[in-house]
């Protein structure tokens, strides 16, 4: 998402949640983008001079979070393009895949026009909205200044961030550096027509791949057998977010993060429902999902704000290195920090543990080589306008720094989840509160409906 962003809500996704203690204090609700392996998010303006971080890490002198991530990208490689027939296997292995432009890409002029519309929207300030902690920010924000307040738009889809008529700008990172602009799915005005045109192009090509990838890769939530669609065409995955990520000049590294959590449990398999205790920990967040990026401008180097991925970290083993062992999962904001923080206050991990876990995480990468020629880190650099990538939102990643003067890097993204997953994680309390505010819950939007005549915003969910 996102970011998806590791937003300081604290934290993406892309999205924000309340932090509550559940199940004997072992599981905690965390935000959609956890500040993994890091201290709390710190975005500050940069000069054009590159930082000169230490390049080695020892058990007694671990690098700071910023130094460590800077070292990773300096030793990284661009995501290699993958021909479309091999995209699924690459996505399963690495958690991220770049579609070869010879197989598929979006019309650059269309992407450029959409980017201009997005930047004009940000400049107008009409969509700006203060940060919230609700997973349904897209719905509750409709009552905020700068957004529609009439009955026609007081609608939402439980468990999603979908907008219907007007965008919402959620800025983060300080000093107007990063934006997560939630985009209108149903607005067919001239200003937002490019969104529908881009989505139509992407979905027509990628839907069969996304259908199969969702089925084979995403966790199946507890109770999902009661909510999944019975469609015979096996193309009922749902779209749960549509937005643009903008990284302005001066954006620093985001914290490394995953957009949803992978938990260890006996027999972990996408064909089996996960335990109820794990699904309960997801309440109030966006559901497990795959995210598709469409690059709206050239991103020739890592200096242009390229997103960074640690390949192969979309599994429970990698997440255990970040969050803790077994079910003893620490909240990212817990006083007992169980992430790879660069602080070493009393009660936190030792410096040796920090360095060891960071090393193990890189060794876990599917692209890592033990001769140090490849650290397993890949960047969305050397991308052309219209290029497309897909990633499992649980793979560890972060938005890289934008050090190019005058560069406003913009990406269109959308997330898809299993049928019924968003409804499961939406939570009864959230629904009751939005109903009290006069909001009407709509039925989910299937991805295939984005192409087949467009989604309807008039049907209420049951």
């Amino acid at each position: 998402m996102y970011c998806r962003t590791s937003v300081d809500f604290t934290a993406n996704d892309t999205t924000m949640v309340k932090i509550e203690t559940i199940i004997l204090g072992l599981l905690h609700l965390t935000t959609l983008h956890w500040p993994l392996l890091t201290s709390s998010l710190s975005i500050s303006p940069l000069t054009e001079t590159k930082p000169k971080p230490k390049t080695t890490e020892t058990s007694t002198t671990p690098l700071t979070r910023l130094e460590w991530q800077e070292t990773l990208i300096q030793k990284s490689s661009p995501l290699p393009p993958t021909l479309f027939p091999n995209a699924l296997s690459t996505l399963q292995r690495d958690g991220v895949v770049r579609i070869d432009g010879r197989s598929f890409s979006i019309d650059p002029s269309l992407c450029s026009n959409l980017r201009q519309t997005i930047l004009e929207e940000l400049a107008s300030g009409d969509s700006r909205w203060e940060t919230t902690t609700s997973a349904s920010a897209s719905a509750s924000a409709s009552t905020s200044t700068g957004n529609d307040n009439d009955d026609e738009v007081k609608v939402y889809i439980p468990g999603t961030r979908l907008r219907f008529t007007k965008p919402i700008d959620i800025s983060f990172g300080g000093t107007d550096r990063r934006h997560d602009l939630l985009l209108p799915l149903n607005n067919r005005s001239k200003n937002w027509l490019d969104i529908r045109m881009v989505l139509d192009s992407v979905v027509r090509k990628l839907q069969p791949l996304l259908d199969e990838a969702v089925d084979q890769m995403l966790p199946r939530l507890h109770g999902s057998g009661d909510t999944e669609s019975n469609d015979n065409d096996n193309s009922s995955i749902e779209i749960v977010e549509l937005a643009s990520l903008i990284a302005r000049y001066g954006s620093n590294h985001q914290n490394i993060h995953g957009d949803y959590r992978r938990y260890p449990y006996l027999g972990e398999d996408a064909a089996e429902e996960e335990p109820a205790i794990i699904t309960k920990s997801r309440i109030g967040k966006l559901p497990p999902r795959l995210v598709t990026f469409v690059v709206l401008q050239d991103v020739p180097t890592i200096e242009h704000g390229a997103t960074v991925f640690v390949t192969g970290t979309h599994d429970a083993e990698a997440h255990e290195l970040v969050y803790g062992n077994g079910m003893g999962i620490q909240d990212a904001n817990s006083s007992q920090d169980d992430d790879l923080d660069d602080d070493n206050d009393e009660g936190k991990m030792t410096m040796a543990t920090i360095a060891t876990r960071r090393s193990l995480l890189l060794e876990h990468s599917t692209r890592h080589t033990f001769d140090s020629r490849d650290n397993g880190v890949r960047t969305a650099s050397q991308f052309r306008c219209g290029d497309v990538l897909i990633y499992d939102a649980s793979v560890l990643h972060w938005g890289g720094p934008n050090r190019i003067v005058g560069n406003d890097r913009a990406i269109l993204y959308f997330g898809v989840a299993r049928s019924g997953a968003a409804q499961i994680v939406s939570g009864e309390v959230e629904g009751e509160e939005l109903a009290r505010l006069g909001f009407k819950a709509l039925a989910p939007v299937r991805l295939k409906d984005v192409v087949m005549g467009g989604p309807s915003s008039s049907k209420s969910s049951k």
Side-chain angles (χ1 to χ4, degrees):
M1 243 185 90
Y2 325 160
C3 98
R4 243 349 245 66
T5 13
S6 176
V7 299
D8 207 358
F9 317 132
T10 307
N12 334 137
D13 344 217
T14 271
T15 39
M16 308 79 55
V17 299
K18 296 176 285 187
I19 301 175
E20 300 176 359
T21 304
I22 62 170
I23 312 301
L24 302 179
L26 293 179
L27 289 175
H28 294 75
L29 289 181
T30 61
T31 52
L32 288 172
H33 297 82
W34 302 276
L36 313 181
L37 309 116
T38 66
S39 55
S40 56
L41 182 62
S42 176
I43 302 288
S44 58
L46 293 178
T47 65
E48 292 184 69
T49 304
K50 268 202 233 178
K52 297 181 179 179
K54 294 179 288 186
T55 58
T56 59
E57 182 166 53
T58 69
S59 61
T60 56
T61 58
L63 302 177
T64 67
R65 187 268 300 177
L66 182 60
E67 289 172 337
W68 181 59
Q69 291 185 205
E70 181 65 27
T71 298
L72 291 184
I73 67 167
Q74 296 303 330
K75 295 181 178 180
S76 67
S77 303
L79 274 167
T82 299
L83 292 174
F84 198 78
N86 303 321
L88 178 59
S89 60
T90 300
L91 180 59
Q92 290 175 312
R93 180 191 65 199
D94 296 343
V96 58
V97 62
R98 173 186 178 181
I99 305 298
D100 193 313
R102 294 172 295 178
S103 296
F104 174 66
S105 64
I106 305 298
D107 181 354
S109 62
L110 189 61
C111 293
S112 180
N113 290 341
L114 178 55
R115 175 180 180 271
Q116 185 62 34
T117 300
I118 288 170
L119 295 181
E120 289 174 357
E121 176 65 34
L122 290 180
S124 73
D126 290 342
S127 57
R128 185 173 298 278
W129 184 62
E130 294 183 1
T131 301
T132 183
T133 55
S134 167
S136 284
S138 56
S140 57
S142 293
T143 59
S144 300
T145 302
N147 295 280
D148 293 331
N149 288 310
D150 56 58
D151 293 338
E152 181 183 355
V153 297
K154 295 186 74 171
V155 295
Y156 76 107
I157 296 179
T160 78
R161 298 200 310 155
L162 291 176
R163 296 286 296 160
F164 292 100
T165 57
K166 285 192 174 182
I168 292 180
D169 169 24
I170 303 174
S171 60
F172 57 98
T175 61
D176 195 37
R177 297 298 177 183
R178 292 185 183 269
H179 299 262
D180 193 7
L181 184 67
L182 308 186
L183 297 173
L185 183 60
N186 266 15
N187 192 322
R188 290 175 170 80
S189 68
K190 181 179 178 181
N191 288 346
W192 295 109
L193 181 60
D194 289 337
I195 294 178
R196 299 299 306 230
M197 296 175 68
V198 171
L199 273 180
D200 185 85
S201 297
V202 175
V203 174
R204 285 183 186 277
K205 179 66 175 181
L206 297 188
Q207 185 181 325
L209 170 61
L210 292 173
D211 285 340
E212 191 170 2
V214 165
D215 184 61
Q216 295 188 23
M217 295 179 64
L218 295 187
R220 194 177 298 273
L221 305 188
H222 185 79
S224 59
D226 299 328
T227 60
E228 288 186 345
S229 170
N230 293 321
D231 286 0
N232 295 324
D233 60 7
N234 193 35
S235 57
S236 58
I237 60 175
E238 298 169 4
I239 182 169
V240 297
E241 57 183 345
L242 172 66
S244 177
L245 289 171
I246 300 93
R248 296 191 185 279
Y249 165 67
S251 299
N252 204 338
H253 293 277
Q254 285 183 295
N255 283 7
I256 186 171
H257 65 274
D259 296 340
Y260 75 87
R261 181 68 193 281
R262 290 280 186 174
Y263 296 99
Y265 59 91
L266 186 62
E268 182 179 17
D269 191 317
E272 301 177 7
E273 289 188 5
E274 64 185 17
I277 191 175
I278 293 178
T279 296
K280 188 172 183 179
S281 74
R282 304 189 191 280
I283 302 298
K285 310 167 189 174
L286 284 182
R289 59 205 180 278
L290 298 180
V291 176
T292 299
F293 274 7
V294 179
V295 180
L296 301 182
Q297 66 189 84
D298 290 349
V299 184
T301 73
I302 57 176
E303 307 292 301
H304 285 75
T307 305
V308 187
F309 300 89
V310 183
T311 57
T313 54
H314 55 305
D315 61 17
E317 185 177 351
H319 283 212
E320 278 189 84
L321 289 171
V322 175
Y323 297 107
N325 298 320
M327 297 299 291
I329 298 159
Q330 295 292 338
D331 174 26
N333 293 325
S334 170
S335 59
Q336 293 181 315
D337 284 354
D338 210 3
D339 57 12
L340 304 193
D341 202 339
D342 48 57
D343 294 329
N344 191 39
D345 297 335
E346 183 177 354
K348 297 185 177 182
M349 290 188 298
T350 65
M351 290 183 288
T353 302
I354 295 170
T356 298
R357 285 196 178 190
R358 286 175 174 174
S359 177
L360 288 173
L361 187 69
L362 294 180
E363 290 177 10
H364 186 77
S365 167
T366 46
R367 294 283 189 160
H368 173 269
T369 59
F370 287 92
D371 58 8
S372 299
R373 288 183 296 181
D374 192 338
N375 64 1
V377 177
R378 296 288 184 270
T379 62
S381 57
Q382 297 184 13
F383 272 55
R384 301 296 299 271
C385 182
D387 281 352
V388 175
L389 73 81
I390 305 168
Y391 69 96
D392 183 319
S394 69
V395 74
L396 300 181
H397 63 282
W398 73 92
N402 183 350
R403 297 176 176 137
I404 305 300
V405 176
N407 176 49
D408 290 325
R409 189 230 60 189
I411 288 173
L412 176 74
Y413 74 91
F414 64 91
V416 294
R418 288 185 182 276
S419 174
Q423 179 66 45
I424 291 174
V425 303
S426 62
E428 294 181 6
V429 174
E430 176 188 85
E432 292 172 357
E433 176 64 16
L434 290 173
R436 186 183 67 80
L437 294 173
F439 284 89
K440 179 181 180 181
L442 302 182
V445 175
R446 297 178 299 181
L447 184 64
K448 66 179 182 180
D449 291 336
V450 173
V451 172
M452 299 173 64
S456 170
S457 61
S458 61
K459 296 181 180 179
S460 300
S461 63
K462 297 179 180 180

